[in-house]
């Protein structure tokens, strides 16, 4: 079964990086539509979370992001 994660502080990261939305998405290694969905509070799969974490680490933004698992999931 997949584990899902919340990606927090994307707005703070955008202000810190001073990039436009599409350039931020490209820097993190995700598509613009995925970035939009994550901002609205959608859950990210483990693969997407790992990709975002890798892009943030590469650009030294890892301390700005918070990746957390929900306390429970509805089935």
């Amino acid at each position: 079964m997949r584990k899902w994660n919340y990606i927090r502080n994307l707005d703070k990261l955008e202000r810190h990086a001073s990039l436009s939305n599409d350039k931020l998405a490209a820097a993190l290694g995700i598509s613009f539509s995925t970035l939009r969905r994550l901002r609205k509070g959608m859950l990210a799969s483990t693969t997407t979370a790992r990709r975002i974490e890798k892009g943030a680490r590469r650009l030294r933004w890892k301390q700005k992001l918070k990746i957390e698992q929900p306390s429970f999931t509805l089935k």
Side-chain angles (χ1 to χ4, degrees):
M1 178 158 63
R2 281 191 192 185
K3 295 192 177 194
W4 298 92
N5 301 295
Y6 284 114
I7 311 294
R8 305 283 190 206
N9 297 341
L10 284 170
D11 295 331
K12 186 187 290 186
L13 178 65
E14 182 184 359
R15 285 192 306 270
H16 173 74
S18 66
L19 295 173
S20 62
N21 292 329
D22 54 345
K23 290 183 181 178
L24 177 65
L28 293 176
I30 57 175
S31 67
F32 176 66
S33 60
T34 303
L35 179 66
R36 262 193 337 207
R37 282 187 280 142
L38 291 175
R39 278 201 184 128
K40 291 181 182 179
M42 298 290 286
L43 294 169
S45 67
T46 307
T47 307
T48 305
R50 198 175 320 122
R51 185 179 298 150
I52 290 171
E53 189 175 17
K54 183 179 177 184
R57 189 177 338 117
R58 184 177 57 235
L59 298 168
R60 296 188 179 107
W61 297 336
K62 188 174 183 316
Q63 71 276 6
K64 301 284 184 204
L65 283 180
K66 284 181 77 176
I67 300 174
E68 56 191 38
Q69 290 185 349
S71 57
F72 64 91
T73 55
L74 297 175
K75 294 184 179 181

